[in-house]
């Protein structure tokens, strides 16, 4: 029985067995990234305001984080607020900020007790001071944890990330520290905000949309994609296991032939 206590629910023997089965049926992805979509529609379908859906989405965050830690996933990246989300109505934006602050206040100790490290990618300097303070504190408190890296993409977009990397390289060229012909894949990767994070193996998108929505554009070059119709507030560990099961059935060829992969 695993003793993780994020959800405050005792793990059932059936759930433990499902996790063990996934561990033996194939490789568990090292890095799972999730586009958590459908909170608004979930709330609307219940005659409620959008923020109600975001609040319910936090329960899914807790459950998926706990399950990933139990499964031995090393990185879980959640697309919690995109650069484009700043364009939403002000009350929704400020509601999301408040929800983030509340969640950090109530969850940081639990994250720490469960050996989970929190990190962020994105322009958190655009967030209100109070929000930045809570984030930095949670990052500091959990910085030595090893079990799972929970990475929140906040005010993040793939194009922004690539642009800021290109700017840094352009400055190095301007200052004579870099030859343009020396720019390659590795160098660009090293200037992205994800430089220390492996590329995602599996990207899950909820709510049935077949879109990437400016998520990890550079990093997903060879990620496996999984789309489910389920709205994020209904997406729980059982669906996560289905996504991982689907991932395990795929052959990742990275541009090579099937024979080359089998021969390895
Ligand atoms: C997308 O659904 C979801 C978001 C933009 C926000 C995600 C935020 C949470 C799950 C809660 C806060 C997260 C943390 C980590 C504390 P949508 O609003 O685009 O839904 P719709 O497509 O149905 O309108």
């Amino acid at each position: 029985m695993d003793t993780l206590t994020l959800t405050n629910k005792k793990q059932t023997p059936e759930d433990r067995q499902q996790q063990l089965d996934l561990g033996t049926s194939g490789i568990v992805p090292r890095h799972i990234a999730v586009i958590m979509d459908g909170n608004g529609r979930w709330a609307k379908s219940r005659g409620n305001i959008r923020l109600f859906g975001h609040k319910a989405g936090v329960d899914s965050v807790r459950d998926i984080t706990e399950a990933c830690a139990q499964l031995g996933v090393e990185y879980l990246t959640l697309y919690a607020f995109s650069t484009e989300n700043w364009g939403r109505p002000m009350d929704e934006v400020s509601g999301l900020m408040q929800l983030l602050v509340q969640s950090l206040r109530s969850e940081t100790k639990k994250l720490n007790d469960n050996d989970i490290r929190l990190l962020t990618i994105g322009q958190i300097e655009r967030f209100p001071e109070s929000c930045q303070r809570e984030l930095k504190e949670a990052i500091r408190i959990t910085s030595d944890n090893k079990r799972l890296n929970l990475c929140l993409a906040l005010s993040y977009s793939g194009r922004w990330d690539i642009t800021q990397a290109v700017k840094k390289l352009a400055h190095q060229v301007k200052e004579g520290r870099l030859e343009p012909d020396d720019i390659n894949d590795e160098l660009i990767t090293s200037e992205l905000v994800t430089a220390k994070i492996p590329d995602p193996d599996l990207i899950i998108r909820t709510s049935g949309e077949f879109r990437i929505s400016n998520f990890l554009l550079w990093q997903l070059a060879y990620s496996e994609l999984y789309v489910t119709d389920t709205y994020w507030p209904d997406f729980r560990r059982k669906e996560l296991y289905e996504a991982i099961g689907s991932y395990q059935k795929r052959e990742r060829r990275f541009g090579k032939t099937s024979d080359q992969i089998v021969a390895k």
Side-chain angles (χ1 to χ4, degrees):
M1 191 74 49
D2 206 294
T3 53
L4 268 155
T5 54
L6 273 187
T7 54
N8 287 329
K9 278 193 212 135
K10 248 194 162 165
Q11 188 177 31
T12 62
E14 296 74 40
D15 185 53
R16 186 70 198 135
Q17 191 54 50
Q18 269 189 291
Q19 291 183 349
L20 290 171
D21 290 346
L22 273 180
T24 50
S25 56
I27 296 172
V28 170
R30 185 176 177 207
H31 181 177
I32 299 178
V34 189
I35 303 176
M36 310 182 287
D37 196 17
N39 295 352
R41 278 164 285 166
W42 183 91
K44 198 171 172 198
S45 71
R46 285 162 174 74
N48 231 310
I49 59 162
R50 299 176 57 80
L51 200 57
F52 181 69
H54 296 316
K55 282 186 181 155
V58 176
D59 294 334
S60 297
V61 169
R62 220 179 270 114
D63 192 49
I64 297 307
T65 304
E66 185 177 88
C68 281
Q70 289 165 334
L71 282 165
V73 172
E74 284 179 51
Y75 292 86
L76 172 65
T77 299
L78 302 176
Y79 204 10
F81 194 84
S82 73
T83 306
E84 289 74 22
N85 286 155
W86 286 112
R88 291 196 173 190
M90 216 37 235
D91 58 341
E92 182 171 347
V93 172
S94 58
L96 275 166
M97 303 286 147
Q98 277 170 26
L99 190 56
L100 181 63
V101 170
Q102 279 166 16
S103 303
L104 289 166
R105 286 193 184 140
S106 63
E107 307 300 317
T108 298
K109 184 173 180 318
K110 280 196 260 171
L111 290 178
N112 202 31
D113 290 346
N114 289 289
D115 201 17
I116 296 169
R117 172 176 166 242
L118 185 81
L119 58 152
T120 61
I121 50 172
Q123 290 178 290
I124 67 160
E125 62 278 9
R126 289 186 70 180
F127 278 53
E129 276 294 329
S130 59
C131 214
Q132 289 188 44
R133 249 196 325 273
E134 292 293 336
L135 275 169
K136 285 177 189 160
E137 186 61 0
I139 291 168
R140 187 189 63 75
I141 290 171
T142 62
S143 61
D144 290 331
N145 294 342
K146 299 272 182 297
R147 185 163 184 167
L148 169 74
N149 296 284
L150 173 61
C151 176
L152 300 184
L154 293 168
S155 192
Y156 176 87
S157 75
R159 286 185 178 177
W160 163 79
D161 194 5
I162 294 168
T163 305
Q164 65 81 31
V166 168
K167 273 188 198 162
K168 283 195 255 171
L169 293 175
H171 279 293
Q172 291 175 34
V173 170
K174 191 177 167 198
E175 290 158 13
R177 293 187 284 125
L178 177 67
E179 287 297 325
D181 283 343
D182 289 337
I183 296 174
N184 56 23
D185 266 29
E186 286 74 34
L187 204 60
I188 294 172
T189 299
S190 73
E191 296 295 356
L192 295 169
V193 289
T194 51
K196 295 192 180 121
I197 302 174
D199 287 345
D201 299 295
L202 172 63
I203 297 197
I204 297 171
R205 179 164 191 148
T206 59
S207 94
E209 314 278 7
F210 284 76
R211 274 197 293 275
I212 291 301
S213 298
N214 213 351
F215 198 23
L216 301 157
L217 296 181
W218 175 275
Q219 299 84 342
L220 58 67
Y222 278 102
S223 304
E224 296 298 325
L225 307 181
Y226 181 88
V227 176
T228 169
D229 284 339
T230 306
Y231 293 148
W232 176 250
D234 286 331
F235 187 90
R236 297 298 159 93
R237 61 181 67 202
K238 279 213 163 22
E239 282 240 27
L240 173 74
Y241 302 158
E242 277 173 38
I244 295 175
S246 159
Y247 168 86
Q248 289 180 334
K249 289 197 194 83
R250 309 199 192 167
E251 181 182 58
R252 301 187 76 189
R253 291 194 293 277
F254 298 95
K256 295 188 175 165
T257 68
S258 192
D259 289 346
Q260 285 175 299
I261 301 300
V262 175
K264 230 174 78 178

